Amino acid sequence: GSTGTFVGNKVTAMRGDLGKLNGRIGNLNTRMRGLRDKAAASSQKYHALMAQMNAKLQTGTTPGNPTLVNQLKAGQQQIEFVADNISKLNDLSSDVDAEAGTASWLLDSVRATYGLSGAVDLDHARLRALEDEVNQAVVLIDRLLNELSADINRQTTYVNNERHNLQLMSLAIKNGELYGTSLVNRSFSQARARTAAKVQSDPIPSTCLLYTSPSPRDATLS
C-alpha cells in the first residue's frame, strides 16, 4: 500500500495506470488472435474449394461448368475475407502503436519520480518494482507490433498470390481444362516447337562423324 507520502501516492496512481494499460494490452492480444483465427478459417475454406475445382478439372468437365463457376465465386469471396482481415490488422497495429506511446510515457514518469524529494525507502522500492512491470508491458507491446507486422506481410503476399491463382482457375473453368489451353499448354507447345527448330538448325558436331579407315588401294597409292 501507499506510504502516505507524495511520492507514495504518485506510485499508487501510476500503478493504477499500469493496470489499465495491461488490460488494454490483453484486449489487443485477444483481437489479434481472433483475426488470426478468422484468416485461418477463410484460408481452409478457400483451399478446400480449390481442391474440389482442381479435382473436377483433372477428371474432365464441360467448359464454363456452373458448379465450378459457383465454387470459384465462393473461393474469391474467402480470399476477399482474408484481404479485409489485413485491413483490420492494420487498424489493430495502429491501436497497439498508440499503447506503445502510453507505455513509453508511463516509463518516463516512473523514472522521473525517482528525483522527487520527500520519499522514503519503501517508495523507491515500490518504484523499482513498478519500473520492472512497466518494462514488461513495453516488451509485450513490442512483441505484438512485431507479430502484427509479420502477419500483415505474410497475408498480403498470400492474398496477391491467390488472386493470381484464381485468375488461372477462372480461365481453366472457362475452357474446361486444367489451367487453360492458352497458358500452360500453349507455353509447353511453344517451348517444344523452339526446341525442335533448334535441333534442326544446329550443324552436326564434327566429333559425331564416323571415322573410316583408308582402303588398301589408298595405302598403295600413298
Side-chain angles (χ1 to χ4, degrees):
S2 175
T3 58
T5 65
F6 173 75
V7 174
N9 292 335
K10 190 170 181 62
V11 172
T12 300
M14 289 188 295
R15 183 169 290 283
D17 292 338
L18 176 62
K20 295 175 183 177
L21 175 63
N22 283 331
R24 292 194 297 271
I25 293 173
N27 291 334
L28 293 170
N29 188 59
T30 301
R31 282 173 58 189
M32 182 183 70
R33 294 185 181 280
L35 292 173
R36 279 179 173 176
D37 291 342
K38 288 181 180 179
S42 294
S43 296
Q44 289 173 359
K45 293 177 183 177
Y46 165 76
H47 286 291
L49 289 165
M50 290 292 282
Q52 293 171 17
M53 289 185 282
N54 274 304
K56 186 62 179 175
L57 289 167
Q58 184 68 41
T59 56
T61 185
T62 56
N65 187 320
T67 301
L68 294 181
V69 170
N70 290 334
Q71 288 177 334
L72 178 67
K73 290 179 179 178
Q76 290 170 334
Q77 187 179 39
Q78 295 302 325
I79 286 300
E80 292 311 311
F81 285 158
V82 179
D84 182 62
N85 203 66
I86 296 172
S87 177
K88 293 178 180 178
L89 285 172
N90 279 312
D91 293 340
L92 177 58
S93 182
S94 297
D95 293 342
V96 176
D97 195 52
E99 297 303 337
T102 302
S104 178
W105 167 81
L106 185 56
L107 186 59
D108 289 341
S109 298
V110 170
R111 289 171 177 170
T113 307
Y114 282 108
L116 297 177
S117 61
V120 297
D121 291 342
L122 182 57
D123 290 333
H124 278 202
R126 294 179 67 214
L127 268 176
R128 287 191 294 272
L130 181 61
E131 184 179 10
D132 290 342
E133 293 175 22
V134 176
N135 278 318
Q136 291 175 5
V138 170
V139 170
L140 289 175
I141 291 173
D142 287 343
R143 186 177 300 165
L144 270 175
L145 286 172
N146 290 334
E147 291 185 11
L148 282 169
S149 177
D151 283 358
I152 290 169
N153 291 334
R154 181 172 57 252
Q155 291 189 25
T156 299
T157 302
Y158 171 77
V159 167
N160 290 337
N161 289 339
E162 295 310 321
R163 279 174 174 166
H164 176 69
N165 289 334
L166 283 168
Q167 291 176 353
L168 297 180
M169 181 60 72
S170 176
L171 183 60
I173 292 172
K174 178 181 178 181
N175 294 337
E177 296 182 15
L178 196 60
Y179 301 123
T181 54
S182 63
L183 292 177
V184 174
N185 294 341
R186 179 181 297 178
S187 299
F188 175 75
S189 299
Q190 291 175 349
R192 185 171 57 183
R194 285 194 298 267
T195 302
K198 187 175 186 304
V199 169
Q200 293 176 0
S201 62
D202 285 348
I204 300 176
S206 58
T207 54
C208 294
L209 295 176
L210 293 176
Y211 171 76
T212 357
S213 59
S215 63
R217 182 174 177 275
D218 295 335
T220 306
L221 291 174
S222 62

